[in-house]
Amino acid sequence: MSTIVIFTRRDRGVLPSLELLEHRVTTLPGTAEALAHAPESDLIVVDGAVELAAAKAICRLLEHDPTPVLLVLSEGGFAAVTPEWGVSDIVLDGAGPAELEARIRLAAADARSRGPIVASGLSIDEASYQAKIDGRPIDLTYKEFELLRFLASHPARVFTREQLLSEVWGYDYFGGTRTVDVHVRRLRAKLGDLESVIGTVRGVGYRFELVEA
């Protein structure tokens, strides 16, 4: 079972066959604002069957997000799609459940096969739970690593403290948002000269900044 987020400007009917499959699906408006508050997922589905221009804008905003993107199109939309859209795969909005399940499975497998996250002078390897700066390991606690990994997996996207609590600590965590601030402060201290990669958006939360090491 995969966790899927759909961005669409339609009320319903994006992928009817998806309702026949056992995946956790969240549907959000196809806007930049909704993208900024989207939960973490295994697959992002962008609806381009009705409004191609809006779909392209969302795809371009997802350019640095490592989550695979599946673009939904009508028959006439294929000619408009180019490599610069940056999507992992495309599918017709009338695709059957067997085809859709195969595409979801392949996209998830491709995401898992990717190597460490390398950005802004950092290497973050989820398999070994180790982060390095220029090959030098950083001594991080489990939650510090998870916080850094999550932010780096969604570069330039802003997350509120509440979102970080639910994504990194889990929905059953009863501590306050101050926990996030404390971990960010400790994480920055351990990153040293690269502390600026954890950016603060005043009044909102935090994001991973793409900067030169």
Side-chain angles (χ1 to χ4, degrees):
M1 179 185 294
S2 296
T3 302
I4 300 171
V5 173
I6 299 176
F7 291 100
T8 180
R9 299 203 173 192
R10 291 189 276 179
D11 293 333
R12 63 186 63 186
V14 179
L15 283 170
S17 59
L18 185 57
E19 299 176 6
L20 303 175
L21 304 176
E22 295 183 355
H23 297 290
R24 293 188 297 271
V25 179
T26 300
T27 301
L28 298 174
T31 64
E33 182 180 3
L35 177 63
H37 296 89
E40 187 174 16
S41 63
D42 301 312
L43 178 68
I44 294 173
V45 174
V46 177
D47 181 15
V50 176
E51 296 187 32
L52 270 175
K56 181 178 181 180
I58 291 294
C59 290
R60 295 302 298 274
L61 288 172
L62 290 165
E63 181 179 3
H64 297 294
D65 195 313
T67 309
V69 176
L70 179 63
L71 177 64
V72 180
L73 295 172
S74 62
E75 190 72 43
F78 280 78
V81 181
T82 64
E84 70 175 8
W85 285 53
V87 300
S88 305
D89 199 0
I90 56 179
V91 64
L92 279 170
D93 54 354
E99 177 186 350
L100 188 56
E101 178 64 31
R103 292 184 185 277
I104 292 171
R105 185 169 60 249
L106 290 172
D110 178 65
R112 288 193 295 268
S113 67
R114 295 177 185 178
I117 300 169
V118 179
S120 298
L122 287 167
S123 174
I124 304 166
D125 189 350
E126 186 174 5
S128 64
Y129 271 86
Q130 191 170 68
K132 298 180 180 179
I133 298 176
D134 296 329
R136 176 177 56 84
I138 314 169
D139 184 18
L140 301 178
T141 65
Y142 175 76
K143 286 302 182 186
E144 288 168 352
F145 177 87
E146 282 293 288
L147 179 60
L148 178 62
R149 181 200 62 79
F150 179 78
L151 289 170
S153 296
H154 305 83
R157 284 179 59 181
V158 182
F159 293 93
T160 66
R161 291 166 176 81
E162 290 78 9
Q163 286 177 308
L164 291 173
L165 274 178
S166 65
E167 296 290 353
V168 177
W169 279 264
Y171 288 102
D172 57 349
Y173 180 76
F174 293 103
T177 56
R178 175 172 165 73
T179 296
V180 177
D181 296 328
V182 170
H183 278 75
V184 166
R185 185 169 65 249
R186 292 174 178 170
L187 185 55
R188 283 172 171 164
K190 292 182 179 182
L191 290 173
D193 292 340
L194 289 182
E195 65 173 355
S196 61
V197 299
I198 309 298
T200 299
V201 180
R202 190 178 299 278
V204 183
Y206 299 102
R207 67 182 173 197
F208 187 86
E209 305 280 6
L210 291 171
V211 299
E212 294 185 3

